[in-house]
């Protein structure tokens, strides 16, 4: 008979834990440690591989973990209503753990999925679990490994009944911004994972915009990565202050130990993705919400990941850059300031588009989502934490039904101040052949919003010509169709938009 570990010989005889964690990879173990470090929490832990459980318990005796080595032991260790946080791979593994927990839990118990699940999967799971009498909560967790341990931003959905139990526990481990925990009950069923998805979409846009700013400065001024790091560090003391700006400076300063060159110059220029950015764009299309800045960020990663296409396209004609001269002195400083303003303006667009998508999703799925509360829980703990999230919270506090975030007075002032530089940077990038898709698409979106009339009228006429898709008129009510293949008279028609 195999020798048992010390942890395995101590099976809980009574329920002592108020929450349990299933799945003890880095995120799960860090969340478990975070939970255990907060007063009032006793944490049960379970992993399919016993070695991970033993390792966690042995390395952190101060946590007072209650180890379990079967789902039955895990359930027996939890106080009622039993509360279990699942931190396993999205998809089939999550479904498998849910099924195992329902076999040992009782009606009224709470199952939380803290992974990056697609929100429609969460809607499906919540319905199935609810039909068996359990509470299911899909919860977005942002902040990475460090946030999980020290305080993440948390976006739980699920039923009100579950929030009564979960609220105090989650508030105990969340990041804190200006005295407020970065967690709120987002809404029912898939609302939490929906908001986390959009958070990640905004993150894609923010990262792409920062990368474009870096590329523009380097190409135009010839500055080294370390010198550009100093620029970003300075930006992080002002209105652009954010986690992503902060870490950009750190990455640009890093020197590769093997070659002695800047690390950014030896990293392969092919950006990976795990799907949430694409989900954000696909969902926005389904909802009819333009998120062009986020979409261009997703597509830029896709383009970067096709070296075979890039290699054969490198000889395509572009603008004449034979002079090779770089901006210096005051000219370089002025250019860098214009890039900063363009970055800020484009960042405003990215967040505005993201909040538009959240509002549209809430309307479509009948969720009551407080957009101001969402902006507040993103102020700390998460990847897109930034100073100006306070300004977003102020905007929604002043006008909860604000239709377009960037029309709030603070952002109107910021865009007024930035727009000349923004337009100049986009024009210079195009003239120089420097790709800046997120900058340029953000500006195009802004101008599209402010246009009194768009060329969509011509598109609708074309659609009516080849497909009898009909159109509406500006001067009278009704739906119309022109008999293009006949005498081209106009007739009233059924709306086929």
């Amino acid at each position: 008979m195999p020798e048992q570990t010390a942890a395995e010989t101590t099976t809980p005889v009574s329920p002592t834990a108020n929450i349990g964690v299933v799945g003890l990879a880095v995120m799960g173990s860090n969340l478990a440690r975070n939970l255990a470090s907060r007063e009032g929490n006793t944490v049960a832990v379970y992993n399919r591989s016993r070695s991970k459980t033993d390792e966690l318990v042995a390395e952190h005796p101060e946590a007072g973990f209650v180890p379990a080595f079967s789902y039955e032991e895990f359930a027996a260790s939890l106080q009622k209503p039993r509360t279990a946080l699942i931190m396993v791979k999205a998809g089939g593994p999550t479904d498998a753990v849910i099924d195992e927990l329902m076999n040992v839990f009782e009606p009224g118990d709470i199952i939380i999925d803290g992974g990056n699940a697609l929100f429609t999967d969460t809607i499906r799971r919540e319905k199935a679990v609810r039909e068996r009498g359990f509470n299911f909560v899909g919860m977005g967790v942002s902040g990475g490994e460090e946030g999980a341990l020290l305080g993440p931003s948390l976006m739980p959905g699920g039923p009100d009944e579950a929030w009564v139990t979960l609220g105090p526990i989650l508030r105990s481990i969340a990041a804190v911004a200006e005295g407020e925990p970065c967690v709120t009950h987002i809404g029912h069923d898939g609302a939490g994972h929906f908001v986390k998805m959009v958070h990640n979409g905004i993150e894609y846009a923010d990262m792409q915009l920062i990368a474009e700013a870096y590329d523009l400065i380097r190409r135009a001024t010839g500055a080294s990565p370390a010198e550009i790091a100093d620029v970003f560090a300075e930006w992080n003391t002002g209105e652009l202050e954010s986690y992503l700006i902060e870490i950009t400076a750190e990455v640009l300063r890093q020197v590769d130990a093997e070659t002695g060159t800047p690390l950014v110059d030896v990293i392969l220029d092919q950006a990976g993705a795990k799907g949430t950015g694409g989900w954000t764009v696909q969902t926005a299309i389904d909802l009819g919400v333009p998120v062009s800045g986020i979409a261009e960020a997703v597509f830029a990663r896709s383009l970067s990941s096709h070296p075979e296409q890039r290699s054969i396209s490198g000889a395509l004609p572009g603008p004449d850059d034979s002079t090779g001269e770089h901006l210096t002195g005051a000219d370089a400083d002025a250019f860098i300031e214009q890039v900063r303003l363009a970055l800020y303006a484009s960042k405003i667009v990215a967040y505005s588009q993201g909040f538009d998508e959240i509002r549209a999703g809430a309307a479509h799925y009948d969720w009551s989502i407080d957009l101001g509360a969402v902006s507040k829980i993103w102020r700390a703990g998460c990847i897109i934490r930034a100073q100006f999230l306070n300004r977003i919270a102020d905007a929604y506090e002043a006008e909860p039904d604000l239709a377009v975030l960037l029309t709030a007075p603070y952002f109107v002032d910021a865009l007024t101040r930035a727009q000349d530089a923004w337009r100049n940077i986009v024009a210079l990038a195009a003239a120089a052949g420097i790709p800046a898709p997120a900058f340029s698409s953000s500006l195009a979106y802004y101008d599209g919003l402010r246009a009194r009339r768009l060329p969509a009228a011509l598109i609708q006429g074309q659609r009516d010509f080849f497909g009898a898709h009909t159109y509406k008129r500006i001067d009278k009510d009704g739906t119309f169709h022109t008999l293009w293949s006949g005498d081209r008279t106009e007739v009233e028609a059924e709306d086929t938009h």
Side-chain angles (χ1 to χ4, degrees), residues 216-224 227 323-337:
L216 285 162
I217 293 172
R218 189 166 188 186
R219 293 206 203 190
T221 70
S224 69
E227 290 169 330
T323 62
E325 293 181 0
H326 290 129
L327 298 174
T328 59
D331 290 339
D333 291 341
F335 179 81
I336 290 169
E337 174 61 10

Side-chain angles (χ1 to χ4, degrees), residues 369-385:
I369 299 180
D370 183 336
L371 297 180
V374 170
S375 67
K376 286 185 175 183
I377 67 170
W378 287 350
R379 292 178 300 172
C382 70
I383 303 302
I384 64 170
R385 58 185 182 266

Side-chain angles (χ1 to χ4, degrees), residues 212-285:
E212 290 178 15
Y214 154 75
D215 193 36
L216 285 162
I217 293 172
R218 189 166 188 186
R219 293 206 203 190
T221 70
S224 69
E227 290 169 330
I228 301 174
D230 291 339
V231 171
F232 277 93
E234 182 181 346
W235 287 356
N236 201 46
T237 65
E239 61 189 0
L240 277 171
E241 180 189 351
S242 68
Y243 173 72
L244 286 171
I245 293 288
E246 175 188 342
I247 68 169
T248 297
E250 295 295 321
V251 172
L252 291 176
R253 283 198 183 101
Q254 186 68 20
V255 174
D256 178 50
E258 185 174 337
T259 63
T261 58
L263 178 64
V264 72
D265 287 344
V266 299
I267 295 176
L268 188 65
D269 62 337
Q270 297 176 24
K274 289 192 174 180
T276 48
W279 292 348
T280 304
V281 176
Q282 291 164 354
T283 301
I285 292 170

Side-chain angles (χ1 to χ4, degrees), residues 216 239 333-346 414-429 439 443:
L216 285 162
E239 61 189 0
D333 291 341
F335 179 81
I336 290 169
E337 174 61 10
Q338 287 193 330
V339 172
R340 184 189 72 81
L341 289 167
L343 174 57
Y344 192 55
S346 300
L415 292 166
T416 300
R417 178 165 45 86
Q419 75 154 318
D420 287 347
W422 193 12
R423 295 183 188 284
N424 194 41
I425 290 298
V426 169
L428 287 171
F439 273 19
L443 178 58

